[in-house]
Amino acid sequence: GLIVVLATPLITFPMFINKIRLSMSYEIRKALHYLFYLFAIGMCFHNKTSAFPNGGFNQITMGFCIIYYTLDSLYVMFFMTEIIETTIFNVLPSGVQMTMAVSEHFQANFAQGGYGYVCLPWVSKYEWHAFSLFEHPTDPNLRQVFMMKTGDWTSDVHRQLQRNTVRPVWISGPFVSLYNNALDYDNNICVASGIG
């Protein structure tokens, strides 16, 4: 219980107290989110399994979630992440367009759009951001990403480039967009959220 009580404020306070959130860098706020591992492990030992069915399911539920999340993260890290050394950056007044040749494995997974996480090691080695992926209209080996210059990180990318160039990029994905099947239905409900 003490672990949960100590970990929870470190995860939640920087997100809902604006003064704290603005004083912390993105990397620190994201790193604090990984304290959920401590939270989940603490919940596993919160009560005894002998209390089941009136309780005692924390160990099973939270243990399953920890194992599932860890295996999924390792799979993405080892099988869905690649470096692309020759990514073409076209600098536009409103942002940056990236064009990259992806591997056959990347092409075989959900070839119709989706999204991927992008890391630009020359901007920040630990910052990954999700962007929509677009197929190149004439070359199926290429994927494109457009980064609009709106936040700190995208403005920093735009500022560092200044001209069209070629630089390395780490990409993780592709992941199926939740909107891939949206056109199949007449009515859709969309709920948006962010990490703060």
Side-chain angles (χ1 to χ4, degrees):
L2 181 62
I3 293 171
V4 173
V5 169
L6 294 176
T8 304
L10 293 173
I11 299 168
T12 57
F13 285 2
M15 293 299 107
F16 74 83
I17 299 175
N18 205 32
K19 191 172 184 178
I20 297 173
R21 185 177 62 82
L22 294 174
S23 67
M24 288 184 167
S25 70
Y26 170 86
E27 291 91 348
I28 293 172
R29 287 187 318 225
K30 180 154 178 151
L32 287 174
H33 273 77
Y34 289 109
L35 289 174
F36 85 89
Y37 268 108
L38 287 176
F39 174 86
I41 291 168
M43 289 302 292
C44 284
F45 299 102
H46 186 62
N47 57 6
K48 299 176 182 177
T49 48
S50 61
F52 193 79
N54 298 324
F57 48 83
N58 287 354
Q59 293 170 340
I60 298 164
T61 306
M62 297 307 283
F64 173 79
C65 290
I66 292 168
I67 292 168
Y68 185 81
Y69 180 82
T70 302
L71 291 175
D72 182 62
S73 297
L74 290 172
Y75 180 82
V76 169
M77 184 189 313
F78 291 114
F79 299 108
M80 295 180 70
T81 303
E82 59 188 65
I83 188 166
I84 302 169
E85 297 284 353
T86 56
T87 303
I88 301 166
F89 289 87
N90 294 318
V91 181
L92 308 167
S94 60
V96 176
Q97 176 185 312
M98 292 172 29
T99 304
M100 54 195 144
V102 294
S103 68
E104 288 182 16
H105 176 73
F106 194 96
Q107 294 172 43
N109 291 325
F110 316 117
Q112 297 299 313
Y115 68 97
Y117 287 92
V118 173
C119 174
L120 306 178
W122 38 272
V123 175
S124 174
K125 292 180 181 177
Y126 307 107
E127 237 176 292
W128 292 77
H129 292 272
F131 290 98
S132 297
L133 297 169
F134 303 95
E135 289 86 16
H136 193 276
T138 59
D139 188 346
N141 299 325
L142 298 179
R143 296 294 183 272
Q144 294 181 308
V145 168
F146 179 76
M147 295 181 208
M148 191 165 192
K149 181 179 65 169
T150 56
D152 296 341
W153 188 80
T154 51
S155 295
D156 195 24
V157 171
H158 192 266
R159 194 171 34 258
Q160 286 194 35
L161 289 173
Q162 297 292 314
R163 61 180 172 78
N164 296 347
T165 187
V166 175
R167 293 198 183 178
V169 169
W170 281 95
I171 186 156
S172 184
F175 302 100
V176 177
S177 170
L178 301 174
Y179 305 107
N180 272 8
N181 299 325
L183 295 176
D184 297 339
Y185 301 95
D186 293 331
N187 298 308
N188 292 294
I189 297 174
C190 299
V191 178
S193 179
I195 62 165

